[in-house]
Amino acid sequence: MVVSLPSLPPQKNQLMLGTFVHSEARDALKFLLNAAIAVDKQGKIAGIEDARADVNVAKKLLLKRLGWKEDELDIYACKPGQFFFPGFIDTHVHASQYPIVGVFGESSLLEWLEKYVFPTEAKLEDCATADKVYTACVQRTLAHGTTTAAYYATIHVPATKLLADRCLRLGQRAFIGRVCMDDRELCPLYLRDKTSKESLDNTSEIIDYIKHIDPHYEIVSPILTPRFAPACSPTVMSGLAKIHQAQGLPVQTHISENAAEVELVAKRFPDAGSYAKVYDNYGLLTPKTILAHAVHLTEGEASLISTRKSKVSHCPCSNSALASGEARVRWMWDRGIDVGLGTDMSGGYSPSVLVAARQAVLVSRHLAMGRSDGEAKSKLTVAEVLYLATRGGAKVVGLENKIGGFEVGKEWDAQLVGLRIVGGGNIGESGQQKAEEKYEDSGNVDLFEWDTWDRKVAKWVYNGDDRNTKKVWVKGRLVHQRP
Amino acid sequence: MVVSLPSLPPQKNQLMLGTFVHSEARDALKFLLNAAIAVDKQGKIAGIEDARADVNVAKKLLLKRLGWKEDELDIYACKPGQFFFPGFIDTHVHASQYPIVGVFGESSLLEWLEKYVFPTEAKLEDCATADKVYTACVQRTLAHGTTTAAYYATIHVPATKLLADRCLRLGQRAFIGRVCMDDRELCPLYLRDKTSKESLDNTSEIIDYIKHIDPHYEIVSPILTPRFAPACSPTVMSGLAKIHQAQGLPVQTHISENAAEVELVAKRFPDAGSYAKVYDNYGLLTPKTILAHAVHLTEGEASLISTRKSKVSHCPCSNSALASGEARVRWMWDRGIDVGLGTDMSGGYSPSVLVAARQAVLVSRHLAMGRSDGEAKSKLTVAEVLYLATRGGAKVVGLENKIGGFEVGKEWDAQLVGLRIVGGGNIGESGQQKAEEKYEDSGNVDLFEWDTWDRKVAKWVYNGDDRNTKKVWVKGRLVHQRP
């Protein structure tokens, strides 16, 4: 059923022209105007020309410098209202839960897992269902500009292989986590690794498979995935730590999302001292560990995580929807912890990292409301949440030298964003819209002629959606586009 | 420049077939399956047939009962994944601030007004700008399913007339508020009624104008709009109360949005006793008053508002974005206050009532987080926020006998919602999307074959957008549609 897929087609050199926006620092966006970026056949940025009199000057200078000929290139030039932005990095997302985005009633974490999540994940034992779900998920997240995703699949081996195949074929950079969960108390019989050996063996089978379809992990990579401490036996956690040490593979898990869960961990591991120490005791708290949520961390845990250089995936949509709490991003930054954004679909109600960025702004405001203490400073800016969504995320998944911004030598993981200019499109003229006319849908962001670049980007963060993501590239390959 | 517009074209009888969803009670949605609703030439619901063996049975029974002939009708039938829903009612929205949706930096209320809002509103002195802004705003909100809006315009008379014209021509039911603001301390010279007489006279000019273009206020109606207490002189507030008493026109204003504003009001009106009492003292707290925000109400104020039967517009997007606070909807309900939803664009970052409903769910969860007191019960359900968006809003604007749900005699203010079924559309097939193929964009909601109606609606609330609003009617008139 699951087959290996043909390798990617050869690429041409490409030239991107226009405006480029990316994070220069955690709190500052940089705008490259009248600029040109050259992307070579391997998908790497070969050269950048910035701030020229006009974009043609930038183009000519760059082509001359690289010795490239215009007629051998694919050229992409910004139209008015458009700019290039780094691809989004989703540091925590459950591909298997795509069928229940937005479905959780009034439940909170543990009840929600039992009532909604586990029955949904169980369906993916069937490969035809898994194909439908994973294909829809990868296409949907690509359409939202997610160029890299750290995925949780399920316990099922064939379906997890299929997710790796789909990412490779559709061209999304991904970490593929076959979920380990063998605890008899927490995991239902119908969704459980029957033994710790099965859990570890099945993990190894996924690693071998991915090594076979993408030997250098250029697009897809395995990631070790103990669901969360109460779902895993000590044997599984130690076993995964051994694989981690032997092969240097990354690890992802959950931490301190919800009060009841924190209590449960304290009860299960009475001698550990803290939730973070549970992972540390089993050798799972390392610079390659992604910890999702981290809402209720203590000072001691933050200090331990910072010392171990483990990373945090902040999932604001999920934390609001499940009433888990308000994670303190600035507080973690102040303690030296690297943070990225996760949609945590489907605890998070949206597959879009842009929506997660928006909600990160809002959650930071809820954190600040009516406070006169340190949290009054918790408000995150538009620049800061876009940092989380790109460079911050790149650090979290350990790819900060490859992706997250526009520098020579980095790979071209990017999106072309297009915003409508009022008066330049189909809406905004007086009179009623004619139904018969071709309806060109350019999204919800309306720019007016007086808008500055700062405002354009803010409008995108607050009202943008997948309609504004016109094109998406991963490693130089065009993997999504819309009119 | 501003001209009266031709009256609406005559309508045919219409028949709606399929699934209808509306609020049966505050906490319960009702699903009418295999149903038919007849809408007469005046835009009123003439008959309903529900729960038949199939939709054709419902259709035949209804036509027979009404004596209508099929070939004299316009018929709209739901396709798979579609349902009819009442139009949204936006009980608080600043049309004039449409150019700055999503633009507020890190500011909170008073600073934001000065830095962003007032300069933007001032631009609307120019009618060409006003036309661009108001036309875009009305078309955009219609596209989001807003069939009724309680608008704040600006102080400018020609531009406010123009807003009334645009609503009438484009067919959106609207309350048009020419903003009164004559306080010399708070209002900048460039955006201020020069005298209290000018403030009241200009208000009367707008009332006369609207009476001229829509004599029975069937689609557009004036609404008295003292911006908020600190922006108005006592003379203006008393004068507006007199007009209110004489003509029975509704009133809209702001209350208790932000801590600094509450403090300012206490300083300005030291003898009033409370913010709510300020309005009450001037005769502005009546059953026809819409109070926006009401975040920081005291028990005494809630009791006064409840006694006066004044209404509250809950604006969660705005309250989160400006870090104003978390309004307690259930707390107000428990005190007998009617509540509706407001986008409060552009304090709210979105013109969509659906987004406001979503954020109302999330804000209610932030309110509940970590609480063991009464607020732990503050969580709002999907059914409850959809009630706020429809029937709740209808009560707030005083039109509960005309709109908000599907009953015989009510006017047909409705939207046809369409959600994509995975496997039935362009995404979800294996393999890469072909750029050359026609890209039919059906939005972000993906239904799977096992989804129940409850889940379909929840998915719409969490991930729906204007792409899912396929058609919109106001008073039986089709005012918006997309493919």
Side-chain angles (χ1 to χ4, degrees):
Chain A
M1 178 103 202
V2 179
V3 292
S4 180
L5 294 155
S7 58
L8 306 182
Q11 290 177 185
K12 290 167 81 172
N13 286 331
Q14 296 172 89
L15 191 64
M16 315 295 165
L17 300 173
T19 301
F20 300 77
V21 184
H22 67 159
S23 291
E24 187 170 37
R26 212 164 66 189
D27 59 353
L29 291 172
K30 182 165 172 85
F31 298 88
L32 291 77
L33 307 176
N34 294 327
I37 291 187
V39 178
D40 68 21
K41 290 171 186 167
Q42 286 71 46
K44 281 196 180 169
I45 296 178
I48 301 179
E49 277 293 334
D50 177 25
R52 297 295 159 185
D54 69 57
V55 81
N56 280 315
V57 176
K59 175 175 144 186
K60 277 182 197 161
L61 281 168
L62 189 53
L63 291 184
K64 193 175 167 191
R65 184 145 58 84
L66 295 171
W68 288 7
K69 285 178 190 158
E70 193 169 338
D71 54 5
E72 295 169 359
L73 301 173
D74 280 337
I75 297 185
Y76 298 94
C78 289
K79 294 178 195 163
Q82 295 188 336
F83 59 94
F84 294 95
F85 196 81
F88 288 136
I89 297 161
D90 189 345
T91 60
H92 183 71
V93 48
H94 293 262
S96 51
Q97 295 170 18
Y98 184 64
I100 48 167
V101 269
V103 177
F104 21 61
E106 309 319 301
S107 60
S108 53
L109 179 64
L110 299 176
E111 179 200 348
W112 167 74
L113 284 174
E114 204 181 309
K115 187 169 170 190
Y116 297 97
V117 172
F118 291 158
T120 302
E121 292 193 10
K123 287 190 209 289
L124 301 201
E125 191 174 358
D126 172 55
C127 272
T129 303
D131 193 7
K132 197 183 265 193
V133 169
Y134 286 150
T135 302
C137 169
V138 174
Q139 289 184 324
R140 188 63 88 183
T141 53
L142 277 175
H144 283 285
T146 301
T147 49
T148 299
Y151 281 125
Y152 284 60
T154 59
I155 60 167
H156 309 103
V157 170
T160 303
K161 289 180 180 174
L162 196 146
L163 176 60
D165 285 334
R166 290 295 164 269
C167 290
L168 188 58
R169 173 150 58 151
L170 296 166
Q172 186 175 51
R173 203 184 285 274
F175 295 85
I176 308 291
R178 185 240 166 232
V179 177
C180 294
M181 46 195 291
D182 66 332
D183 183 85
R184 289 171 179 235
E185 208 173 310
L186 193 128
C187 312
L189 182 60
Y190 65 82
L191 190 74
R192 181 203 296 162
D193 293 324
K194 298 301 172 282
T195 63
S196 54
K197 183 172 184 305
E198 183 182 307
S199 195
L200 295 168
D201 286 351
N202 287 351
T203 296
S204 294
E205 188 176 340
I206 294 298
I207 296 169
D208 292 343
Y209 182 78
I210 295 176
K211 217 176 272 174
H212 170 68
I213 62 171
D214 190 5
H216 303 291
Y217 301 154
E218 285 187 51
I219 295 293
V220 290
S221 159
I223 184 165
L224 303 166
T225 308
R227 186 165 202 130
F228 68 134
C232 297
S233 65
T235 317
V236 161
M237 287 198 275
S238 308
L240 292 174
K242 266 185 211 155
I243 301 177
H244 165 72
Q245 284 169 336
Q247 304 193 33
L249 290 174
V251 177
Q252 61 184 356
T253 189
H254 298 78
I255 197 168
S256 209
E257 176 175 359
N258 156 296
E261 170 218 9
V262 172
E263 223 168 276
L264 176 67
V265 170
K267 224 182 267 176
R268 287 290 191 88
F269 305 89
D271 303 325
S274 78
Y275 201 157
K277 274 193 188 162
V278 172
Y279 292 129
D280 197 44
N281 292 343
Y282 289 103
L284 289 170
L285 210 62
T286 85
K288 289 198 154 191
T289 303
I290 306 173
L291 300 163
H293 302 295
V295 175
H296 304 282
L297 292 185
T298 62
E299 281 287 353
E301 287 178 296
S303 168
L304 177 61
I305 291 167
S306 176
T307 305
R308 295 287 181 263
K309 298 193 193 319
S310 299
K311 312 299 193 279
V312 164
S313 172
H314 172 44
C315 305
C317 289
S318 170
N319 298 160
S320 293
L322 293 174
S324 302
E326 293 150 357
R328 296 152 292 169
V329 173
R330 196 173 304 288
W331 181 88
M332 290 190 270
W333 277 345
D334 289 346
R335 278 145 190 81
I337 300 172
D338 286 321
V339 185
L341 275 183
T343 60
D344 188 29
M345 188 177 72
S346 71
Y349 49 85
S350 168
S352 156
V353 174
L354 190 66
V355 170
R358 185 182 308 151
Q359 191 63 13
V361 169
L362 299 176
V363 165
S364 77
R365 278 151 172 68
H366 279 273
L367 202 50
M369 276 175 196
R371 305 284 285 261
S372 52
D373 62 2
E375 294 311 328
K377 289 180 186 161
S378 65
K379 280 188 189 178
L380 298 175
T381 65
V382 162
E384 284 172 331
V385 297
L386 289 175
Y387 171 88
L388 287 173
T390 54
R391 288 202 201 264
K395 278 193 180 179
V396 168
V397 299
L399 295 179
E400 68 270 29
N401 294 324
K402 263 192 173 177
I403 56 173
F406 301 136
E407 285 92 31
V408 173
K410 283 223 165 72
E411 302 192 355
W412 181 250
D413 281 25
Q415 51 189 315
L416 176 65
V417 178
L419 309 175
R420 198 177 72 87
I421 298 168
V422 169
N426 58 316
I427 303 187
E429 305 302 313
S430 301
Q432 198 185 357
Q433 246 168 58
K434 282 181 198 139
E436 287 72 27
E437 274 178 24
K438 192 179 171 308
Y439 191 97
E440 196 210 319
D441 194 352
S442 45
N444 273 320
V445 180
D446 279 339
L447 302 183
F448 290 79
E449 65 265 24
W450 55 76
D451 281 323
T452 58
W453 271 107
D454 265 337
R455 290 195 174 195
K456 288 176 191 175
V457 171
K459 284 183 164 193
W460 175 52
V461 167
Y462 279 104
N463 278 304
D465 61 36
D466 50 311
R467 283 171 285 190
N468 302 113
T469 297
K470 303 295 183 187
K471 292 181 194 294
V472 180
W473 293 262
V474 174
K475 205 171 184 294
R477 182 183 177 204
L478 185 64
V479 291
H480 172 78
Q481 64 181 335
R482 64 171 63 217
Chain B
M1 179 103 200
V2 180
V3 292
S4 178
L5 294 156
S7 58
L8 308 182
Q11 291 177 186
K12 292 167 82 173
N13 286 330
Q14 297 173 87
L15 192 65
M16 314 295 165
L17 300 174
T19 301
F20 300 77
V21 184
H22 67 159
S23 292
E24 187 170 38
R26 212 165 64 190
D27 59 354
L29 291 173
K30 183 167 171 81
F31 299 88
L32 291 77
L33 307 176
N34 293 327
I37 291 187
V39 178
D40 69 19
K41 289 170 187 167
Q42 287 71 47
K44 279 195 181 168
I45 296 177
I48 301 179
E49 279 292 335
D50 178 24
R52 296 296 159 185
D54 69 57
V55 82
N56 280 315
V57 176
K59 173 175 146 186
K60 277 182 196 162
L61 282 167
L62 189 54
L63 291 184
K64 193 177 167 190
R65 183 146 59 83
L66 295 171
W68 287 9
K69 286 178 187 153
E70 193 169 339
D71 55 5
E72 294 169 359
L73 302 172
D74 280 338
I75 297 185
Y76 298 93
C78 289
K79 294 179 196 162
Q82 295 189 336
F83 60 94
F84 294 96
F85 196 80
F88 288 135
I89 297 162
D90 189 345
T91 61
H92 183 72
V93 47
H94 294 261
S96 51
Q97 293 169 20
Y98 184 64
I100 48 168
V101 271
V103 177
F104 20 61
E106 309 319 300
S107 61
S108 53
L109 180 63
L110 299 175
E111 179 199 349
W112 168 72
L113 283 174
E114 204 181 308
K115 185 167 172 191
Y116 297 98
V117 172
F118 292 157
T120 302
E121 292 193 11
K123 286 190 209 290
L124 301 203
E125 191 174 357
D126 172 53
C127 272
T129 303
D131 194 8
K132 196 183 267 192
V133 169
Y134 286 149
T135 302
C137 170
V138 174
Q139 290 184 324
R140 188 62 89 183
T141 53
L142 278 176
H144 283 285
T146 301
T147 50
T148 299
Y151 280 126
Y152 284 59
T154 59
I155 61 168
H156 310 103
V157 171
T160 304
K161 289 179 179 175
L162 196 145
L163 175 59
D165 286 335
R166 290 294 166 270
C167 290
L168 188 59
R169 173 152 57 154
L170 296 168
Q172 186 176 51
R173 205 184 284 276
F175 295 86
I176 307 291
R178 185 238 165 235
V179 177
C180 294
M181 45 193 292
D182 68 331
D183 182 87
R184 288 169 181 237
E185 210 173 307
L186 192 128
C187 313
L189 182 60
Y190 65 84
L191 188 74
R192 181 201 298 161
D193 292 326
K194 297 303 170 287
T195 64
S196 53
K197 185 173 182 306
E198 184 181 306
S199 194
L200 294 168
D201 286 351
N202 286 353
T203 297
S204 295
E205 188 176 339
I206 294 297
I207 297 170
D208 293 343
Y209 181 78
I210 294 176
K211 217 178 272 171
H212 170 68
I213 61 171
D214 190 5
H216 304 291
Y217 301 153
E218 286 186 50
I219 295 294
V220 290
S221 159
I223 185 165
L224 304 166
T225 307
R227 186 165 202 130
F228 68 134
C232 296
S233 66
T235 317
V236 161
M237 287 199 274
S238 309
L240 293 174
K242 267 186 209 155
I243 301 175
H244 166 70
Q245 285 169 335
Q247 305 193 33
L249 291 174
V251 177
Q252 61 183 354
T253 189
H254 298 77
I255 199 169
S256 210
E257 177 175 355
N258 155 296
E261 170 217 10
V262 173
E263 222 169 275
L264 175 67
V265 171
K267 225 182 264 175
R268 286 291 193 87
F269 304 89
D271 303 326
S274 78
Y275 200 156
K277 275 193 186 160
V278 172
Y279 292 130
D280 196 46
N281 291 343
Y282 288 104
L284 288 171
L285 210 61
T286 86
K288 291 198 150 190
T289 303
I290 305 172
L291 300 164
H293 301 295
V295 175
H296 304 282
L297 292 186
T298 62
E299 281 287 354
E301 287 178 297
S303 168
L304 177 62
I305 290 167
S306 176
T307 304
R308 294 287 181 262
K309 299 193 192 319
S310 299
K311 312 300 192 278
V312 164
S313 172
H314 173 44
C315 305
C317 289
S318 169
N319 297 160
S320 294
L322 293 173
S324 301
E326 294 150 358
R328 295 153 294 168
V329 174
R330 197 173 302 288
W331 181 88
M332 290 191 268
W333 276 345
D334 288 346
R335 278 145 192 81
I337 300 172
D338 287 320
V339 185
L341 276 183
T343 59
D344 188 30
M345 186 176 72
S346 69
Y349 48 86
S350 168
S352 158
V353 175
L354 190 66
V355 170
R358 185 181 308 153
Q359 191 64 14
V361 169
L362 300 176
V363 166
S364 78
R365 279 152 169 68
H366 280 273
L367 202 48
M369 275 174 197
R371 305 284 285 261
S372 52
D373 62 1
E375 293 311 329
K377 291 178 184 161
S378 65
K379 281 188 187 178
L380 298 176
T381 65
V382 162
E384 285 173 331
V385 298
L386 289 176
Y387 171 89
L388 287 173
T390 56
R391 287 202 203 265
K395 279 193 179 178
V396 168
V397 300
L399 295 179
E400 67 271 29
N401 295 323
K402 265 192 174 177
I403 56 173
F406 302 135
E407 284 92 31
V408 173
K410 284 221 163 78
E411 302 192 354
W412 180 251
D413 281 26
Q415 51 188 313
L416 176 65
V417 177
L419 309 175
R420 198 177 74 87
I421 298 169
V422 169
N426 58 315
I427 302 187
E429 306 302 315
S430 299
Q432 197 183 358
Q433 247 168 57
K434 283 181 195 142
E436 287 72 28
E437 274 175 26
K438 193 179 171 307
Y439 191 95
E440 195 209 322
D441 193 353
S442 46
N444 272 321
V445 181
D446 278 339
L447 302 184
F448 289 79
E449 65 265 23
W450 54 76
D451 281 324
T452 59
W453 271 107
D454 265 338
R455 290 194 175 195
K456 288 176 190 173
V457 171
K459 284 184 165 191
W460 175 51
V461 167
Y462 278 104
N463 277 306
D465 61 36
D466 51 310
R467 280 171 287 189
N468 302 112
T469 297
K470 303 293 183 188
K471 293 182 193 295
V472 180
W473 294 263
V474 174
K475 209 172 180 292
R477 183 183 177 203
L478 186 64
V479 292
H480 172 78
Q481 63 180 335
R482 65 170 64 217

